[in-house]
Every structure is written in C-alpha cells, then in structure tokens.
Amino acid sequence: MELEAYTSEFKREGIHTVKDLRAHEISDDLLDALEVMIPGHRKRIKTAVSFLQSSISAPDDVSQSVSAVVIGYWGQPEDMQGNNYDFLCVPGFLKSSTGEDAQSSGLIQFIVDSGSEVGVTVTSEVVKDLQLEYLHSVESRGVHATRDRPVYRGVLKLGSEEFDVEVMPDRFCTVGAVVMRKFKHFINGHFHRWLKDDPQAPDNPPSQVEDC
C-alpha cells in the first residue's frame, strides 16, 4: 500500500475522514503540502479522491433495493489488526483460471485500494500456491526505491462474478480501481454494496457514497 506513510501529513492539513477528503480539491499544491512527491502516489491519491467526489448521496432504501453481487464492509483484515483506521474491505477468492479444474485460494478479505491501477495484489505465497501464469514485469516506484515487479494472470471471484485480472505480489491483499470499474457502488458508514454494472440498463444507478 505505502500510502499510509502520509497519514500524519493528511492530519496536519485537517484531513481526518472520508468526508474531509471529499471536501478538498486535491491540487498539486495540496499534494506538495502533504509531501507526496512520488508521481505514482500522487496519481493514486487523485484517483481515489476523484472516485469519492464524483459519487453522490443515496438513501438506504434505494441502495437496498438493488441486489448486490457482494457486500463489503469497513474493517481491518487479520494481518492489519491494531491499525488506527478501518479500511473498505471486500471478501473474495483468487483462482488460477475458470472451470472446475481451477485452483482457488481460501476466502481473502481484500482491502479496496481505489487509487491503484493494479487489478489485484496478494501475497507471494498465494501466487505460488495457485501457480499463476506469469505475464510480464513492470517498474514500480516505492518510497525508498524503484524495482521490477512481476505481474501474473488470475481470476478474481467476488460473489457470483468471475473475471480475469492482473495480479501483483505484495504484502497486502487488495483490489484496485480496475476491479472497481466493473461494478457500481453504494457506500455508507457501515457497508459497501458492489452492484453489477449492466450498460444495457438505463436505470442502473451511478456509484454513490453516503456521508459517514
């Protein structure tokens, strides 16, 4: 994730909650004040905040009237217990392929990283256990160094939906903006409803966020 390194800078600028983020224009001047200098990190923050700001409030009766593919939640995955903040999480499975012969992980509590253009990240152990197909490597810039990181092919299963994703090994298990764009979303202070994005349906609601 690595963006947690900026937590104190966000607090210093008076940004403590999702509502605070939605109220701010994430300009280059603000990112400079937050000491976010890595281009990739600046892009991820802008993308994540843009997602929140483009969403509008929706009453509970509307969001509950649409059948969810899967329901996420605010919380902390087991390997991040004790963190000061909750994350949007969604339960799912990573598979080696589609079909009955595919290998599958156990249930994973993915962190939703809406600022990342990486489809899915999982631990190296999961990649090894599933024997995922290697695709290519990409150059990744971190806080302290630049390194080549391998990218694999996998199949993500959220609820009843399965689709191909690019997978990158990491310390944490996450789903990124590439995955989020396949769905519509209702988010409030308790739950995150993932709705099937049907382009044929004119009444399909936009992604919506309620103030926490």
Side-chain angles (χ1 to χ4, degrees):
M1 293 275 284
E2 296 187 338
L3 297 183
E4 63 267 20
Y6 305 110
T7 299
S8 59
E9 284 77 11
F10 273 89
K11 286 183 176 180
R12 188 184 64 214
E13 295 298 321
I15 302 173
H16 300 272
T17 66
V18 171
K19 187 175 181 179
D20 293 336
L21 270 177
R22 294 179 69 199
H24 278 74
E25 176 187 358
I26 305 301
S27 64
D28 288 334
D29 287 343
L30 178 58
L31 290 172
D32 289 343
L34 294 170
E35 301 179 19
V36 183
M37 300 304 174
I38 297 174
H41 288 186
R42 293 170 78 97
K43 180 180 178 182
R44 287 173 65 184
I45 290 171
K46 285 183 176 180
T47 300
V49 175
S50 177
F51 169 79
L52 293 173
Q53 292 177 337
S54 64
S55 304
I56 60 175
S57 296
D60 272 342
D61 58 348
V62 173
S63 61
Q64 290 174 358
S65 68
V66 183
S67 179
V69 173
V70 65
I71 297 180
Y73 60 94
W74 291 94
Q76 298 181 5
E78 186 175 345
D79 57 352
M80 296 190 71
Q81 292 293 322
N83 197 287
N84 291 330
Y85 302 96
D86 286 340
F87 301 90
L88 272 179
C89 301
V90 62
F93 300 86
L94 186 64
K95 302 172 62 177
S96 59
S97 63
T98 57
E100 295 181 359
D101 297 332
Q103 298 186 66
S104 177
S105 70
L107 183 65
I108 297 175
Q109 303 297 332
F110 291 97
I111 297 171
V112 178
D113 187 357
S114 60
S116 173
E117 288 299 324
V118 178
V120 171
T121 66
V122 292
T123 63
S124 297
E125 289 78 9
V126 173
V127 173
K128 182 178 179 181
D129 289 345
L130 297 181
Q131 299 179 339
L132 298 183
E133 175 189 352
Y134 171 81
L135 295 177
H136 55 83
S137 293
V138 297
E139 185 180 88
S140 175
R141 290 193 63 186
V143 175
H144 303 294
T146 300
R147 59 187 174 124
D148 286 337
R149 300 179 66 182
V151 178
Y152 299 87
R153 176 186 176 275
V155 174
L156 181 63
K157 182 174 183 179
L158 297 179
S160 60
E161 296 293 307
E162 292 187 2
F163 44 89
D164 288 348
V165 289
E166 290 192 344
V167 181
M168 186 178 292
D170 197 74
R171 290 173 54 204
F172 305 110
C173 296
T174 70
V175 294
V178 174
V179 172
M180 294 193 73
R181 285 194 289 266
K182 294 181 179 293
F183 299 86
K184 296 296 185 182
H185 305 269
F186 284 103
I187 304 172
N188 63 20
H190 303 284
F191 299 107
H192 177 183
R193 295 179 176 88
W194 296 64
L195 313 175
K196 191 169 183 178
D197 186 4
D198 184 1
Q200 305 273 329
D203 293 328
N204 198 30
S207 296
Q208 302 181 353
V209 179
E210 297 177 3
D211 290 335
C212 301

